[in-house]
Amino acid sequence: MMIPSDLAERITAIHAAPHRLVLAFAGAGSVGLAWLHAIAGSSRTVLEAIDAYSTRSRLSLTGDLNAPAVSAETAQAMAAWAYRRAQALCDGEWPLLGVGLTAAIITDRERRGADHAFLAISSATGIETGHLTLNRAGQHRLDQEIQISRWLIDEIARACGIPS
């Protein structure tokens, strides 16, 4: 897997940081996970990752079927679940991060609404949430997946205290 050099450096820095994380995805982010695993050191950093793609899977993370699948509220609930899961899985005293990412990107069926993503990162100090709006014109699904995954890596790096 080809990883852009700027990302390889950031991922190496993430793996060198003391943080341990659990990631929960729905809709996009799998390329970012693959990039994390493609650089040596991911076994220190990534405790677990889940792709909660089905409605019932998402329900098991958020506890709320009424929240829109792609929303700040859902990303925050996923991040909070991931943080609690990191606490349960981590041996030792490490800074923990729970990452929740939910996205609506180009698909093969009719879908209403914008292509966008919400990313939330939960830590001992609280939850930070971001929103990314994607351009559909001239894009393919993989283009959007890569854009979201780059954002994911940048936000994990920022949460680990790595300068941009």
Side-chain angles (χ1 to χ4, degrees):
M1 169 179 286
M2 195 64 129
I3 301 173
S5 61
D6 64 316
L7 284 181
E9 291 171 12
R10 293 193 55 76
I11 293 168
T12 298
I14 289 168
H15 293 330
H19 297 74
R20 305 296 186 256
L21 52 133
V22 170
L23 303 106
F25 302 103
S30 62
V31 170
L33 178 61
W35 287 339
L36 284 168
H37 286 316
I39 301 291
S42 70
S43 62
R44 280 189 311 274
T45 306
V46 179
L47 298 172
E48 184 175 73
I50 183 170
D51 190 358
Y53 223 57
S54 75
T55 301
R56 287 186 184 192
S57 181
R58 193 177 67 251
L59 174 64
S60 72
L61 303 183
T62 66
D64 183 3
L65 277 181
N66 294 322
V70 182
S71 67
E73 177 183 4
T74 298
Q76 290 165 355
M78 292 169 68
W81 175 89
Y83 184 78
R84 290 189 304 275
R85 184 74 175 146
Q87 289 174 314
L89 295 175
C90 191
D91 293 325
E93 296 295 319
W94 302 100
L96 302 175
L97 299 174
V99 179
L101 179 112
T102 182
I105 62 176
I106 292 171
T107 186
D108 63 354
R109 60 179 166 64
E110 185 79 22
R111 181 175 50 76
R112 292 174 292 155
D115 294 350
H116 63 138
F118 288 91
L119 173 67
I121 299 181
S122 180
S123 69
T125 60
I127 296 180
E128 293 190 26
T129 308
H131 180 244
L132 179 66
T133 302
L134 301 160
N135 182 3
R136 189 177 296 176
Q139 297 273 311
H140 297 281
R141 183 177 178 89
L142 184 57
D143 298 327
Q144 291 183 332
E145 172 70 40
I146 288 170
Q147 186 178 356
I148 289 168
S149 292
R150 278 185 160 278
W151 180 46
L152 170 70
I153 297 300
D154 284 343
E155 290 302 306
I156 291 171
R158 187 190 53 71
C160 290
I162 299 163
S164 56

